[in-house]
Each structure stands twice: as structure tokens, then as C-alpha cells.
Amino acid sequence: MRPSALPRPVRLGLYGGAVAVLLWLCLAPSETLPQPEGLSDKWEHTIAWFVLTASGLVLAPRRWRAIAGFALALGAAVEVLQATLGFGRHGDWRDLIADSLGVAAALGLFLPLRRRLDPARAGA
């Protein structure tokens, strides 16, 4: 069974869970988070937004424009929240660029493969 064939509430729940995890990673006080070795903050952002976007595209391939737009808007919102919440996090426009690169990479892989993910609507 393709993930896009799951019932809509299940798909929304899975994607909502991914968004919740990402928000926690981005907004929790920095001292409570694991610090991966050898990865810069920008690579972390790029990978996180790639995974978020790719997850959405697999769950709802017909909504690729909305998923990409949501991911970009979420990236911008996260940077504003990091700058204003005061949890030891700092908003950075370069993080938003890294987020955008992750979204673009996911779209770059998805768009040529969308016939396989959703054969009924490959041209949409």
C-alpha cells in the first residue's frame, strides 16, 4: 500500500507528528537538545526541511505545491519565533535559506518520480 493511499486522518496525523517533532527541535531550549558531531547548523536545517517536505510529498503527492509552501512558511515562522521567544535560540535568515534548500532538494527528487507515487494524477 502506498502511503498516499492511507486514510486522510492518518496521513494528517503522521505529517502533524513530523511538524511537531521539528518544532520541538527548533524551539526547545538549546541546552536540552542533542548536539550532533560534525554537522553545522545549516546542514541540520537543510536535512530537517528535506525530511519534512519529503514526508509530506510521500503522504500527499497531489498537494506538492501546498506542502512546499507550508514548509517554507514554517521555516520563516520558526526563525521569527527563535528570535522572539528567548530560549537561547537565535533567528537567522541563513537558516531560512538552508530550509529552502532542503525543500528544493525534496522537490527536485519528487517531481520526476511523482508518477510512481501517484500514477492517477502524475500530470497535476
Side-chain angles (χ1 to χ4, degrees):
M1 173 187 278
R2 290 186 318 268
S4 60
L6 291 169
R8 187 167 193 225
V10 172
R11 291 182 288 131
L12 287 172
L14 289 169
Y15 192 67
V19 170
V21 167
L22 184 60
L23 285 173
W24 178 77
L25 289 170
C26 290
L27 299 177
S30 55
E31 63 272 357
T32 64
L33 298 173
Q35 301 300 319
E37 294 282 330
L39 274 183
S40 76
D41 174 60
K42 305 309 174 243
W43 276 110
E44 291 172 12
H45 275 265
T46 301
I47 293 166
W49 261 260
F50 173 85
V51 170
L52 178 72
T53 305
S55 299
L57 295 172
V58 168
L59 291 167
R62 295 178 191 175
R63 307 275 308 179
W64 65 272
R65 289 178 187 95
I67 290 164
F70 173 77
L72 293 171
L74 183 66
V78 161
E79 295 312 314
V80 169
L81 290 171
Q82 283 182 341
T84 58
L85 287 179
F87 288 136
R89 308 303 289 263
H90 305 286
D92 184 354
W93 62 269
R94 292 171 293 193
D95 288 344
L96 184 56
I97 291 172
D99 300 343
S100 301
L101 291 173
V103 172
L107 285 173
L109 289 174
F110 165 77
L111 291 175
L113 298 174
R114 65 184 163 166
R115 276 201 171 101
R116 287 188 177 170
L117 292 171
D118 190 15
R121 294 283 307 250

